[in-house]
Amino acid sequence: MLDKNGIAKRIAQEVQDGYYVNLGIGIPTLVANYVREDIEVEFQSENGVLGMGPFPYEGEEDPDVINAGKQTITTLPGASFFDSATSFSMIRGQHVDLTILGAMEVAENGDIANWKIPGKMVKGMGGAMDLVASAENIIVAMMHTNRAGESKLLPNCSLPLTGVSCVKKIVTNLAVIEVTDQGFKLLERAPGVSVEMIKKATAGHLIVEGDIPEMTL
Amino acid sequence: MISKKVATVSQALQGVDDNMTFMFGGFGLSGIAENAIAELVNLGISGLTCISNNAGVDDFGLGLLLQQKQIKKMISSYVGENDEFERQMLSGELEVDLIPQGTLAERCRAAQAGIPAFFTPAGYGTEVAKGKESRDFNGKMHLMEYAFKADFAFVKAWKGDEAGNLIFKGSARNFNANMCGAAKITVAEVEELHPVGALDPNQIHIPGIFVQRIFKGAHYEKRIEQRTVRSRD
């Protein structure tokens, strides 16, 4: 079974040379720590930064240089700043190659819910709806089950949707799953996790074909 | 040269009134019009509709207007960091319209550009789509969204000149650049106000034609919302 860093490490393998990548808040942010050093990747932050670097050294924080989580950041050589409309032109115009975000629920047709729980304080969707509506390549990073132990991979989402039929791949603490026209297709198992365990934790239709390899990290 | 310069924040805000619709630039607390917000608190006008990506924190940014109950309605994409906001929203005192961030930005840009409406895929199939016209383009469904209409836009830039030309710094450009010229009157406040000719025309982010009034902010706190650092070793 993987922890949050393990999920990030596995997703980092999906990041290819030359990719522009948008990372959501939470586990997705950790992916930046595990991207191979021999490839060139640029991280986009929807508040208007391309070429995000690590956090600044203490004393070098700049209130005018933050990421979409409002955290102080730095930029790398070749970085650029731009306005919000331009930022979403990059996203909506499909110039960003890969979007990685968290989710509360994913349905077997690729629907995603990650912004609102009825009856609880609603903070807003931020840029998530724009990202999932436009991105060609969306990977969801999340735990396989919620705190109550219920599956987050469902036949249909029960929570209000963020986007429809958009998720392509899901990496959880238990498995790597591809979203296909027929449902969730199991691609890889996390270390020490059996197919049975994954089946049990998946409420949506799970397709298991042949031997399922254990992921290499 | 057409001068946009006004001497004080109170001159810059002349004409603001109860029940108006205002745009506020900024992302979180980064690049917010601190001096215009402080003056609106002083003026005490109320019943305001505010278009702003976020709603500030309890004691800074638009949170200051919320504290005084000057805001009737917020149009934002994310409003997480404010207890008073939550209280007013849950009690029904405050009306909140949450919309996707890219749609918010484009509705500003459309207003700036004289485009009355546009289609975007964001929000299709979700509750954001309720009551909106949808249409298929190239096999994909889109929602029709309208340009904003606002009385004033309050934006903040790093440098400006008396002609109203603006240069932003870092990620503080955000919604500020898109809101210039998107309201009937755009009020820009700057950290540095330069004489005409001092700024290189090649480096201007927003041409002065989009700005009606410009003034030098008396003071900037530039508060950091999430201070994140790494260690040197």
Side-chain angles (χ1 to χ4, degrees):
Chain A
M1 204 179 297
L2 302 176
D3 61 6
K4 287 181 178 180
N5 280 291
I7 295 172
K9 219 168 167 178
R10 176 60 191 82
I11 291 177
Q13 295 174 6
E14 305 287 321
V15 179
Q16 293 174 23
D17 192 26
Y19 266 15
Y20 293 102
V21 182
N22 181 291
L23 300 178
I25 293 164
I27 302 174
T29 308
L30 301 171
V31 173
N33 300 334
Y34 300 105
V35 173
R36 273 163 48 197
E37 282 181 12
D38 61 332
I39 62 174
E40 295 298 328
V41 174
E42 281 198 35
F43 292 104
Q44 198 250 18
S45 192
E46 62 265 25
N47 60 314
V49 190
L50 191 60
M52 253 195 301
F55 294 146
Y57 291 120
E58 191 157 5
E60 293 178 2
E61 313 92 285
D62 183 343
D64 291 325
V65 183
I66 63 167
N67 64 16
K70 289 120 185 171
Q71 297 170 311
T72 47
I73 54 158
T74 59
T75 53
L76 298 173
S80 56
F81 296 114
F82 35 86
D83 62 79
S84 299
T86 303
S87 181
F88 283 91
S89 298
M90 295 176 188
I91 291 166
R92 219 185 288 107
Q94 301 185 335
H95 307 286
V96 174
D97 298 290
L98 176 62
T99 293
I100 303 167
L101 75 175
M104 299 169 185
E105 294 176 347
V106 179
E108 58 191 35
N109 69 347
D111 287 357
I112 178 172
N114 73 351
W115 77 285
K116 183 176 185 178
I117 300 174
K120 287 203 178 169
M121 169 65 185
V122 181
K123 293 187 170 188
M125 65 292 279
M129 282 193 184
D130 308 274
L131 281 158
V132 300
S134 297
E136 292 266 20
N137 194 2
I138 300 174
I139 301 179
V140 163
M142 66 177 190
M143 303 307 274
H144 212 98
T145 51
N146 64 21
R147 284 193 193 126
E150 298 156 345
S151 180
K152 294 168 74 172
L153 291 88
L154 306 169
N156 295 293
C157 290
S158 64
L159 295 169
L161 294 181
T162 309
V164 292
S165 304
C166 53
V167 176
K168 299 284 184 291
K169 204 174 245 187
I170 307 161
V171 179
T172 73
N173 53 326
L174 304 182
V176 178
I177 284 166
E178 190 188 339
V179 179
T180 69
D181 292 341
Q182 285 76 43
F184 298 124
K185 187 176 176 193
L186 183 58
L187 299 183
E188 297 172 26
R189 297 174 290 115
V193 174
S194 68
V195 170
E196 278 314 304
M197 285 166 75
I198 298 164
K199 270 187 186 164
K200 235 174 118 181
T202 307
H205 178 56
L206 187 72
I207 302 160
V208 183
E209 284 175 2
D211 278 345
I212 305 299
E214 188 171 291
M215 54 179 89
T216 48
L217 292 168
Chain B
M1 186 270 299
I2 304 170
S3 178
K4 308 293 173 70
K5 185 185 168 185
V6 293
T8 64
V9 64
S10 72
Q11 279 176 282
L13 267 64
Q14 220 144 68
V16 298
D17 211 343
D18 292 341
N19 305 313
M20 279 187 165
T21 298
F22 296 157
M23 292 178 159
F24 292 91
F27 190 98
L29 301 178
S30 189
I32 58 173
E34 293 185 29
N35 290 272
I37 292 170
E39 181 64 10
L40 288 169
V41 171
N42 283 338
L43 292 171
I45 57 171
S46 63
L48 304 175
T49 295
C50 297
I51 300 163
S52 170
N53 189 52
N54 313 96
V57 294
D58 276 309
D59 62 343
F60 201 55
L62 292 186
L64 299 170
L65 293 175
L66 280 165
Q67 264 181 17
Q68 294 215 88
K69 304 194 167 67
Q70 291 174 265
I71 302 177
K72 179 185 75 179
K73 181 178 180 180
M74 281 295 314
I75 301 172
S76 306
S77 86
Y78 191 85
V79 292
E81 331 294 343
N82 192 319
D83 290 338
E84 177 60 15
F85 183 98
E86 184 170 344
R87 193 197 64 71
Q88 290 185 22
M89 180 173 158
L90 294 175
S91 71
E93 292 164 62
L94 179 68
E95 202 182 322
V96 181
D97 194 1
L98 292 170
I99 62 177
Q101 195 176 129
T103 299
L104 180 66
E106 195 64 14
R107 289 179 70 186
C108 294
R109 201 195 72 83
Q112 179 191 60
I115 294 170
F118 58 93
F119 282 88
T120 174
Y124 177 76
T126 76
E127 61 186 59
V128 165
K130 249 179 240 164
K132 288 177 186 164
E133 182 181 336
S134 59
R135 205 185 282 190
D136 180 325
F137 292 98
N138 307 314
K140 187 169 177 164
M141 293 305 291
H142 294 72
L143 299 178
M144 189 167 77
E145 298 280 0
Y146 291 95
F148 281 126
K149 286 195 171 123
D151 297 294
F152 280 81
F154 298 107
V155 304
K156 188 260 168 185
W158 177 32
K159 296 177 184 178
D161 67 15
E162 294 179 19
N165 294 308
L166 302 177
I167 297 174
F168 302 95
K169 180 166 164 269
S171 57
R173 195 179 320 180
N174 55 57
F175 289 86
N176 283 302
N178 304 127
M179 288 175 175
C180 290
K184 287 177 195 153
I185 295 174
T186 297
V187 176
E189 58 178 86
V190 292
E191 289 176 60
E192 297 177 18
L193 185 55
H194 293 272
V196 164
L199 301 180
D200 178 356
N202 287 301
Q203 304 300 323
I204 302 298
H205 294 138
I206 290 293
I209 193 170
F210 292 117
V211 174
Q212 279 67 51
R213 302 171 191 171
I214 188 167
F215 70 100
K216 184 182 180 305
H219 171 74
Y220 285 99
E221 179 181 333
K222 297 179 82 167
R223 194 186 292 187
I224 291 175
E225 203 164 331
Q226 303 283 344
R227 186 179 300 274
T228 44
V229 295
R230 69 187 143 139
S231 67
R232 283 178 191 275
D233 37 67

